[in-house]
């Protein structure tokens, strides 16, 4: 589970790889949204503030935590 304050990058599956160009390189998780009542306490989506100032809501499967090894 990703936490608020985590540095992330957009990491879509290959079929959506063209959408990477529409996102800034990095963002910070600023909120957690439980949009699925069947998720049993697991967050469904995350609110991300990107370095270009845009804010989006993303499913966890499209985000990758950034660390020193994967900048």
């Amino acid at each position: 589970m990703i936490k608020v304050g985590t540095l992330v990058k957009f990491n879509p599956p290959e079929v959506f790889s063209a959408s990477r160009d529409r996102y800034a390189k990095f963002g910070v998780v600023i909120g957690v949204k439980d949009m699925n009542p069947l998720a049993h306490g697991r967050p469904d989506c995350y609110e991300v503030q990107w370095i270009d100032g845009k804010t989006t809501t993303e499913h966890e499967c499209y985000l990758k935590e950034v660390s020193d090894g994967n900048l």
Side-chain angles (χ1 to χ4, degrees), residues 29-68:
V29 174
I30 60 171
V32 178
K33 296 187 173 193
D34 189 8
M35 300 172 71
N36 182 353
L38 302 176
H40 305 291
R42 183 175 172 86
D44 189 45
C45 293
Y46 297 88
E47 191 172 7
V48 179
Q49 176 80 51
W50 300 99
I51 60 172
D52 63 1
K54 294 179 184 172
T55 301
T56 62
T57 300
E58 305 296 337
H59 287 277
E60 184 173 9
C61 63
Y62 296 145
L63 298 174
K64 183 172 184 178
E65 290 186 50
V66 175
S67 64
D68 289 339

Side-chain angles (χ1 to χ4, degrees), residues 13-37:
E14 197 59 39
V15 70
F16 298 122
S17 63
S19 63
R20 278 190 193 113
D21 297 338
R22 291 182 280 175
Y23 285 81
K25 188 165 180 138
F26 300 107
V28 175
V29 174
I30 60 171
V32 178
K33 296 187 173 193
D34 189 8
M35 300 172 71
N36 182 353

